[in-house]
Amino acid sequence: MKVFVVKDLLAANEEAARENRRLLERYGLAVINLIGGPGAGKTTLLEKTIALLGASLRFGVIEGDICTTRDAERLSRLGVEVVQINTAGACHLDAAMVGRVLGELPLADLDVVVVENVGNLVCPAEFDLGEDLKVAVLSVAEGSDKPAKYPLVFHQAKACILTKLDLLPYTDFDLAAVTEEIRRLNPALEIFPVSARTGEGMGAWCQWLLEQAQRKKQPASGCS
Amino acid sequence: MKVFVVKDLLAANEEAARENRRLLERYGLAVINLIGGPGAGKTTLLEKTIALLGASLRFGVIEGDICTTRDAERLSRLGVEVVQINTAGACHLDAAMVGRVLGELPLADLDVVVVENVGNLVCPAEFDLGEDLKVAVLSVAEGSDKPAKYPLVFHQAKACILTKLDLLPYTDFDLAAVTEEIRRLNPALEIFPVSARTGEGMGAWCQWLLEQAQRKKQPASGCS
């Protein structure tokens, strides 16, 4: 019975994700589902990405949190459109939650929608939200063994950001070994070691994101 | 219906937790449920705790992981009894999983059982495993806002270990503000800032753990 219910929930999620994807495709939006553990540095990465690309791309953000509106407040200060979802205890966003708030964003005036998922390296990887691509976020302070221990998100992501590179000299994180392990899990994954604090590596990540958005944006979408 | 099923699962978990607790109480064991996000430093904390207290307390460890047996292998090298639970994707341990492996540990020859939960600051907090106390583990690299954003585990824990204190100078973690925020969530919580790497703060945490174990151990338990 438990398995039946879980399957049922995932099937319902897939249907809601398809609906989200249909809507988002109409606007030619690049939609990113940002997944990482608590404190992996997702919000800071997003702040710096928006600061660097804000002149080239119009961002909308959906902030998933269990409690508080702190991340949404941080991002609102950058002048981007932010919608907060408080999951009231739930450990991940699902497609229905995202579907309910998509209408709050001015989709016709955006190029990219970033969904910052609940801080959790496990559960969010199982739920398609209707995104174009998942981006895994792992901080070098979390340790070299994490890709092997939490493989699903690395299997599913199109890009992996290794954050807090400025802390590398003070940890035993082995950048070469982790890169190799991630490539073993998913040879097609783009890997971006970055420090949002110093700016190191941010250029390559932003360039890649810009290309994803340009690929999605059609010259005449007829939607705006 | 979804709510009904969830309640049903939690009720089943409570029954299994009561059974575990009855068994563990018979042996006078102190049972710790260690909860923190991926890379919070739970395994390293446990390695150093066992190294420091191994002469005073006999440890058994239950290692919860989604994949791999890496943590169990690390701890086996210290000569303690370790049982691995691989959750096959599940984001937390539940009491039934723990109950199935308790018989693998030589309970009569132990003083403390530490359950290292799956790396996840959210879901494990909802499942009583039959432990005496939950210990929340948060690394200073994860950021000052985490207690407010993930309050449940801080509400439920008896102690909170703030790990990786050696990284403090290189982060913007505000130790005083976080301590105050944790105390607001749970005034009774014992807070131990530690660096397992340098040993700073480990003495106070180990002393507290020793006291918990001594309190549980009865002079004549009649079980061994």
Side-chain angles (χ1 to χ4, degrees):
Chain A
M1 176 177 145
K2 205 164 71 179
V3 172
F4 170 75
V5 173
V6 169
K7 277 192 180 160
D8 210 38
L9 282 173
L10 286 175
N13 187 71
E14 275 167 34
E15 178 49 36
R18 272 195 295 272
E19 269 182 48
N20 291 351
R21 193 166 276 119
R22 267 195 296 269
L23 175 66
L24 293 159
E25 287 287 341
R26 277 177 41 211
Y27 291 94
L29 293 167
V31 184
I32 312 290
N33 182 359
L34 210 55
I35 299 177
K42 298 180 291 301
T43 312
T44 303
L45 174 76
L46 197 44
E47 283 177 322
K48 296 302 165 77
T49 301
I50 291 168
L52 286 166
L53 286 180
S56 316
L57 294 174
R58 297 163 298 172
F59 282 87
V61 177
I62 297 174
E63 268 301 323
D65 279 303
I66 293 172
C67 285
T68 83
T69 55
R70 291 185 185 198
D71 290 353
E73 287 159 24
R74 283 170 63 181
L75 291 162
S76 290
R77 284 179 215 126
L78 300 172
V80 294
E81 297 285 343
V82 184
V83 179
Q84 174 83 50
I85 301 175
N86 274 131
T87 64
C91 55
H92 61 272
L93 293 176
D94 64 34
M97 295 178 194
V98 171
R100 279 194 290 275
V101 303
L102 278 178
E104 306 292 319
L105 287 173
L107 298 177
D109 302 325
L110 299 177
D111 303 304
V112 178
V113 173
V114 181
V115 183
E116 186 184 337
N117 221 309
V118 175
N120 184 331
L121 201 52
V122 187
C123 318
E126 295 191 37
F127 289 81
D128 181 7
L129 306 180
E131 72 271 355
D132 290 300
L133 48 97
K134 292 182 172 68
V135 172
V137 182
L138 178 71
S139 123
V140 304
E142 291 178 61
S144 301
D145 56 350
K146 296 306 166 292
K149 289 182 65 184
Y150 303 88
L152 184 61
V153 66
F154 297 92
H155 273 302
Q156 298 204 337
K158 284 275 170 40
C160 170
I161 323 272
L162 299 172
T163 57
K164 308 195 187 186
L165 203 57
D166 51 295
L167 292 181
L168 193 62
Y170 314 111
T171 69
D172 55 8
F173 192 86
D174 185 333
L175 196 57
V178 171
T179 301
E180 196 181 316
E181 186 145 285
I182 293 173
R183 288 218 193 287
R184 211 163 31 230
L185 288 168
N186 182 350
L189 199 66
E190 299 277 348
I191 302 174
F192 299 102
V194 310
S195 165
R197 174 179 284 182
T198 67
E200 186 180 354
M202 287 296 292
W205 150 246
C206 286
Q207 181 59 35
W208 184 83
L209 183 58
L210 192 61
E211 286 163 15
Q212 306 306 310
Q214 283 166 343
R215 195 170 299 165
K216 285 300 299 266
K217 208 77 192 173
Q218 286 153 27
S221 70
C223 299
S224 58
Chain B
M1 176 176 144
K2 205 164 70 180
V3 172
F4 168 76
V5 172
V6 169
K7 277 191 181 161
D8 211 39
L9 282 173
L10 287 175
N13 187 70
E14 276 167 34
E15 178 49 37
R18 271 194 296 272
E19 269 183 48
N20 292 350
R21 193 166 275 117
R22 266 195 295 269
L23 175 66
L24 293 160
E25 289 286 341
R26 278 178 40 211
Y27 291 95
L29 292 168
V31 184
I32 312 289
N33 182 358
L34 209 56
I35 299 176
K42 298 181 291 301
T43 312
T44 303
L45 174 76
L46 197 44
E47 283 177 323
K48 295 302 164 80
T49 302
I50 290 169
L52 287 165
L53 286 180
S56 315
L57 294 174
R58 297 164 298 173
F59 282 87
V61 177
I62 297 173
E63 268 300 324
D65 278 303
I66 292 172
C67 285
T68 83
T69 54
R70 292 186 185 198
D71 290 354
E73 287 159 23
R74 282 170 63 181
L75 292 161
S76 289
R77 283 180 216 126
L78 300 172
V80 294
E81 296 285 342
V82 184
V83 180
Q84 174 83 51
I85 301 175
N86 273 131
T87 65
C91 55
H92 61 272
L93 293 176
D94 65 33
M97 294 177 195
V98 171
R100 280 194 290 274
V101 304
L102 279 178
E104 306 291 319
L105 287 173
L107 299 177
D109 301 325
L110 299 177
D111 301 305
V112 178
V113 173
V114 180
V115 184
E116 185 183 338
N117 221 309
V118 175
N120 184 331
L121 201 52
V122 187
C123 318
E126 296 191 38
F127 288 81
D128 181 5
L129 307 179
E131 72 271 355
D132 289 301
L133 48 96
K134 292 183 171 68
V135 172
V137 182
L138 179 72
S139 122
V140 303
E142 290 177 62
S144 301
D145 56 350
K146 297 306 166 292
K149 289 183 64 185
Y150 304 87
L152 184 60
V153 66
F154 296 93
H155 273 302
Q156 298 204 336
K158 283 276 169 40
C160 171
I161 323 273
L162 299 172
T163 57
K164 308 195 186 186
L165 202 57
D166 50 296
L167 292 181
L168 193 62
Y170 315 111
T171 70
D172 55 7
F173 193 86
D174 185 334
L175 195 57
V178 171
T179 301
E180 195 181 316
E181 186 144 284
I182 293 174
R183 289 217 193 287
R184 209 164 33 232
L185 288 168
N186 182 350
L189 199 66
E190 299 279 349
I191 302 174
F192 299 103
V194 311
S195 166
R197 174 179 285 184
T198 68
E200 187 180 354
M202 288 295 294
W205 150 245
C206 286
Q207 181 58 35
W208 184 83
L209 183 58
L210 191 61
E211 287 164 15
Q212 306 306 309
Q214 284 167 342
R215 194 171 301 164
K216 286 299 299 269
K217 209 74 191 175
Q218 286 155 24
S221 71
C223 297
S224 58

